[in-house]
Amino acid sequence: MAELQEVQITEEKPLLPGQTPEAAKEAELAAQILLDQGQTHSVETPYGSVTFTVYGTPKPKRPAILTYHDVGLNYKSCFQPLFQFGDMQEIIQNFVRVHVDAPGMEEGAPVFPLGYQYPSLDQLADMIPCVLQYLNFSTVIGVGVGAGAYILSRYALNHPDTVEGLVLINIDPNAKGWMDWAAHKLTGLTSSIPEMILGHLFSQEELSGNSELIQKYRNIITHAPNLDNIELYWNSYNNRRDLNFERGGDITLKCPVMLVVGDQAPHEDAVVECNSKLDPTQTSFLKMADSGGQPQLTQPGKLTEAFKYFLQGMGYMASSCMTRLSRSRTASLTSAASIDGNRSRSRTLSQSSESGTLSSGPPGHTMEVSC
């Protein structure tokens, strides 16, 4: 009779005392549901309290994706359609997400007392280090829209070592000139705050069309219980300082940047000008067809695809499948690539509804990927 050998079996996840395997599985499922729903935190900063919601768990040697929303919105109304899009799931499984709400913009936020001094956009940017310190995160990839894009840019200028990449939608890096200021004052005499903010978020064509999307966001902003807070954020945005970007100068974004704007967006000219001031070897420009003023709401599929390419250019998600382009076979990508250090690659993208292609900007070594 062959000699029996003693085999020691250990559990990969030891059970708590008195816990059955079924109870352990239920606890693990409940924990996963909690992560999927997000965990909301608040932290005190030199300029007041800021609220943020974290989804997922940190991944080793990977930055967090940190978002910042535009005026009139919060993180849910600004980013939920994008991050709940089917093809985006591959991205969010690989990165922890931190969605920052500007002070007073979070759901259920109390209205600030009369005379409250709302932080400037520069001060809102200075709150972000407190968030990262609280979470013990060392680097981020920022995704910002409008005022949020400005805030993340200001943060990146002040803390370049903590920003690996930026996706900036509808950024206007310029301070308001006298003509803009006068036009804003005149508009304020004839338009309500909600209408002015809607004109900031959407194109006139979209507002005139009064689609279901426009009706939804007009209702959100007009009937917002924290409308007074929204007006304070709006005033801070209109009083922003010039970022003073200068191509070849000392004041510039050091990380890879993807600039995004819709072909009907009210900020198209500002984004084009911003692109002309940034380092062309580090900057991608994506002009999205048929996307209006908020491409993350109206074209989440196209933006997700571009975001995947952007992450791949930074050295992440190399094996990611470009599923939407594979299905449609209507888009191609041309990239002008240059390598600087371990993880540096550039692309300049523009999208045309007539050609259905993504085409390159500056000449050089190009690679066309047709899926």
Side-chain angles (χ1 to χ4, degrees):
M1 186 173 183
E3 183 179 355
L4 296 177
Q5 295 182 348
E6 183 179 354
V7 179
Q8 185 176 4
I9 301 176
T10 58
E11 295 177 316
E12 290 185 5
K13 296 182 180 178
L15 299 177
L16 295 174
Q19 188 181 38
T20 65
E22 292 77 13
K25 190 169 184 178
E26 288 180 6
E28 186 177 347
L29 181 60
Q32 184 59 49
I33 291 173
L34 184 63
L35 289 174
D36 291 341
Q37 290 176 340
Q39 296 176 303
T40 300
H41 309 268
S42 292
V43 64
E44 288 297 326
T45 78
Y47 306 104
S49 176
V50 62
T51 299
F52 51 94
T53 305
V54 183
Y55 288 85
T57 54
K59 306 296 188 293
K61 299 182 180 179
R62 291 206 169 186
I65 293 175
L66 185 143
T67 72
Y68 216 115
H69 61 87
D70 204 353
V71 175
L73 309 173
N74 57 29
Y75 92 84
K76 287 186 177 179
S77 56
C78 189
F79 291 108
Q80 209 166 51
L82 176 64
F83 284 95
Q84 287 185 347
F85 187 76
D87 289 350
M88 179 61 77
Q89 303 315 301
E90 184 180 6
I91 293 177
I92 65 178
Q93 287 170 5
N94 284 277
F95 295 89
V96 62
R97 289 177 290 148
V98 182
H99 297 288
V100 181
D101 278 318
M105 304 302 127
E106 67 274 14
E107 289 185 344
V111 176
F112 291 123
L114 191 64
Y116 174 79
Q117 184 62 46
Y118 198 81
S120 67
L121 295 197
D122 290 3
Q123 291 170 335
L124 292 176
D126 288 338
M127 291 180 171
I128 295 177
C130 298
V131 174
L132 299 188
Q133 183 178 8
Y134 178 90
L135 296 170
N136 197 28
F137 291 167
S138 55
T139 61
V140 298
I141 296 171
V143 181
V145 182
Y150 178 103
I151 291 166
L152 291 180
S153 297
R154 176 65 73 185
Y155 171 73
L157 289 175
N158 296 338
H159 304 274
D161 293 340
T162 66
V163 182
E164 292 197 26
L166 287 172
V167 178
L168 304 176
I169 303 169
N170 296 338
I171 184 171
D172 187 345
N174 304 316
K176 278 187 174 293
W178 286 106
M179 293 296 291
D180 294 328
W181 181 84
H184 175 71
K185 289 297 181 183
L186 288 173
T187 304
L189 297 176
T190 58
S191 301
S192 64
I193 292 296
E195 288 303 318
M196 286 194 290
I197 292 175
L198 284 166
H200 162 77
L201 296 174
F202 300 100
S203 69
Q204 287 304 312
E205 291 83 355
E206 289 175 292
L207 294 174
S208 299
N210 199 30
S211 65
E212 186 177 334
L213 177 73
I214 297 300
Q215 293 177 34
K216 174 184 175 181
Y217 280 83
R218 177 176 279 116
N219 184 63
I220 287 174
I221 297 169
T222 302
H223 300 290
N226 62 337
L227 184 57
D228 290 343
N229 295 356
I230 292 174
E231 184 176 357
L232 294 175
Y233 188 20
W234 174 239
N235 291 337
S236 287
Y237 176 70
N238 287 307
N239 290 318
R240 65 190 180 276
R241 293 192 302 141
D242 200 311
L243 288 175
N244 293 315
F245 289 146
E246 183 182 1
R247 178 169 289 185
D250 293 332
I251 302 178
T252 190
L253 298 172
K254 308 291 186 182
C255 61
V257 178
M258 182 168 73
L259 301 176
V260 182
V261 69
D263 63 349
Q264 301 173 21
H267 309 287
E268 181 181 352
D269 292 342
V271 178
V272 170
E273 182 182 351
C274 181
N275 182 53
S276 70
K277 293 180 178 180
L278 296 178
D279 182 356
T281 68
Q282 289 277 69
T283 307
S284 306
F285 177 59
L286 175 62
K287 182 177 176 182
M288 297 184 64
D290 307 319
S291 66
Q294 299 292 307
Q296 81 283 3
L297 301 179
T298 56
Q299 296 286 2
K302 292 180 182 178
L303 188 54
T304 296
E305 201 77 356
F307 193 21
K308 285 184 180 180
Y309 280 119
F310 183 69
L311 292 172
Q312 285 185 336
M314 295 173 61
Y316 298 113
M317 298 181 63
S319 60
S320 174
C321 177
M322 299 304 158
T323 54
R324 190 185 65 81
L325 292 187
S326 297
R327 287 195 302 265
S328 64
R329 299 187 61 84
T330 59
S332 65
L333 173 74
T334 304
S335 65
S338 66
I339 298 177
D340 181 13
N342 316 347
R343 191 180 287 136
S344 177
R345 186 175 172 188
S346 69
R347 284 184 305 277
T348 301
L349 311 174
S350 66
Q351 189 165 41
S352 164
S353 58
E354 295 178 1
S355 64
T357 61
L358 296 171
S359 58
S360 71
H365 177 264
T366 62
M367 176 181 64
E368 183 171 328
V369 180
S370 245
C371 300

